Amino acid sequence: MQYHEIGKTGMKVSSLGFGASSLGGVFHDLKEKQGIDAVFTAIESGINFIDVSPYYGYYKAETVLGKALKDIKRDKYYLSTKVGRYGENGKNTWDYSAKRVTASVYESMERLNVDYLDIINVHDIEFADLHQVVDETLPALVKLKEEGVVKHVGITDLQLENLKWVIDRVPEGTVESVLNFCHYCLCDDKLADFLDYFEQKGVGIVNASPLSMGLLTERGVPDWHPAPKPLIEACAKAAEYCKTKNFPIEKLAMQFSVSNDRIATTLFSTTNPENVKKNIDSINEPIDWDLVKEVRDIIGDQQRVSWSNT
């Protein structure tokens, strides 16, 4: 496992990070235990960065993760969670007010069984009034940082332009990290265009969804996937091509997403301990750049085709 610093935070994190969103989708004890075992396996295997959100499973992911974390020494991991996006009974809600995000931090820490957070993120800022994020949300989180409740402050979004917009309008050092998803993978490497900017601002980079929410898998996308049909079809062709080469596209996608040392960590999510081990084994093998080129050629003009967050 390789380790990279997130911006100027001093946190050296594993090139693969554990995204705990999957823990929000487990609904019975056996799966919950398996998910907790997946967290244990990740830590035992050298993964030291965990990301979650109260939104995942409407608080369930944090609750399940908290059951695992109470049995893991606090110095074994860095922990990131989020504020602003919530939900209950299948209904999404958003609240980026200073009062709500402050309360949210303390609620998350209780669910997670921790007494501080390494990173607190404003979640999916495209759903917020960006002016409110700049003028109210981030100042509230900086106050918590000054009080020692959180160590560092970040923002997350699918739209890279929104991340830049906010960073350009807050005091330097306010935003210490960004989390962006589906923009550094085999079918979309748009994040590469923003690396110089983030580095100049001293902002660390967390990448997520190396499989592009299921686009880069042999089984294909779930019904709810927001990608346009031509992109889905192009990725399916690429997956089939990899299959003819006896090389799962999932493995190649994982290798590609961790191949850029300028990106501190790439988050993947699973409730299966065996998948944790498999992904770590994958990134420890050398990447076949010829196959990468062939796959990207198949995806062709669908490269960097994106969609709206949902």
Side-chain angles (χ1 to χ4, degrees):
M1 186 69 69
Q2 294 186 358
Y3 297 84
H4 311 285
E5 185 176 358
I6 298 180
K8 297 180 178 179
T9 63
M11 295 190 298
K12 285 200 168 182
V13 297
S14 47
S15 56
L16 266 186
F18 188 87
S21 58
S22 295
L23 301 181
V26 294
F27 296 105
H28 51 83
D29 291 342
L30 179 63
K31 279 285 185 70
E32 183 172 297
K33 182 181 183 304
Q34 186 184 53
I36 290 170
D37 286 343
V39 178
F40 292 155
T41 300
I43 297 297
E44 291 162 4
S45 302
I47 290 174
N48 72 345
F49 185 74
I50 303 173
D51 176 78
V52 69
S53 168
Y55 170 66
Y56 302 147
Y58 303 146
Y59 310 110
K60 186 172 181 66
E62 284 191 333
T63 302
V64 175
L65 178 59
K67 292 178 182 180
L69 295 183
K70 67 182 175 60
D71 293 323
I72 302 172
K73 289 183 178 179
R74 187 63 179 87
D75 62 358
K76 293 291 186 183
Y77 62 88
Y78 295 109
L79 179 61
S80 161
T81 193
K82 308 179 183 77
V83 297
R85 189 171 188 182
Y86 312 99
E88 197 168 357
N89 298 323
K91 184 179 180 181
N92 296 339
T93 59
W94 295 267
D95 189 339
Y96 296 87
S97 66
K99 181 180 179 180
R100 181 67 189 103
V101 301
T102 300
S104 180
V105 168
Y106 288 100
E107 292 166 9
S108 288
M109 289 195 299
E110 185 173 352
R111 284 189 290 267
L112 291 163
N113 288 305
V114 296
D115 56 10
Y116 70 91
L117 298 168
D118 295 289
I119 300 179
I120 188 66
N121 292 294
V122 187
H123 196 176
D124 286 346
I125 59 173
E126 68 192 277
F127 292 104
D129 175 342
L130 294 184
H131 294 280
Q132 183 184 30
V133 171
V134 168
D135 298 332
E136 182 178 355
T137 317
L138 283 169
L141 299 182
V142 168
K143 185 171 184 290
L144 291 176
K145 177 184 171 182
E146 291 168 349
E147 294 169 355
V149 179
V150 302
K151 302 291 186 184
H152 307 284
V153 175
I155 54 178
T156 89
D157 205 359
L158 175 63
Q159 310 299 334
L160 286 152
E161 293 81 4
N162 287 343
L163 300 174
K164 182 178 183 298
W165 193 95
V166 168
I167 292 168
D168 282 342
R169 287 164 176 79
V170 294
E172 186 175 345
T174 299
V175 175
E176 298 170 89
S177 67
V178 293
L179 191 162
N180 181 250
F181 57 102
C182 296
H183 285 314
Y184 202 82
C185 54
L186 284 173
C187 58
D188 190 334
D189 63 353
K190 185 179 179 181
L191 178 56
D193 294 354
F194 288 76
L195 295 180
D196 286 347
Y197 169 79
F198 290 135
E199 288 174 357
Q200 288 164 8
K201 295 290 185 176
V203 174
I205 303 158
V206 177
N207 177 38
S209 200
L211 306 183
S212 199
M213 295 162 53
L215 275 174
L216 301 167
T217 62
E218 288 186 358
R219 72 175 179 270
V221 296
D223 291 340
W224 51 260
H225 201 290
K229 188 175 179 181
L231 174 58
I232 292 173
E233 291 172 347
C235 289
K237 288 178 183 175
E240 190 60 33
Y241 179 76
C242 286
K243 200 171 181 179
T244 68
K245 297 285 188 177
N246 294 315
F247 200 102
I249 195 169
E250 295 92 338
K251 181 176 179 178
L252 189 69
M254 197 67 63
Q255 291 175 333
F256 178 82
S257 287
V258 302
S259 65
N260 193 322
D261 289 343
R262 299 171 74 185
I263 295 171
T265 187
T266 292
L267 301 172
F268 74 97
S269 190
T270 183
T271 57
N272 187 335
E274 292 307 311
N275 284 342
V276 174
K277 296 175 184 176
K278 184 169 67 175
N279 287 334
I280 292 172
D281 288 343
S282 292
I283 68 163
N284 284 329
E285 293 181 22
I287 188 169
D288 183 343
W289 286 107
D290 289 335
L291 183 56
V292 168
K293 183 181 184 306
E294 290 161 7
V295 164
R296 288 167 68 84
D297 285 346
I298 290 169
I299 295 170
D301 63 4
Q302 293 302 303
Q303 281 283 344
R304 296 195 175 193
V305 170
S306 192
W307 53 82
S308 297
N309 202 354
T310 56

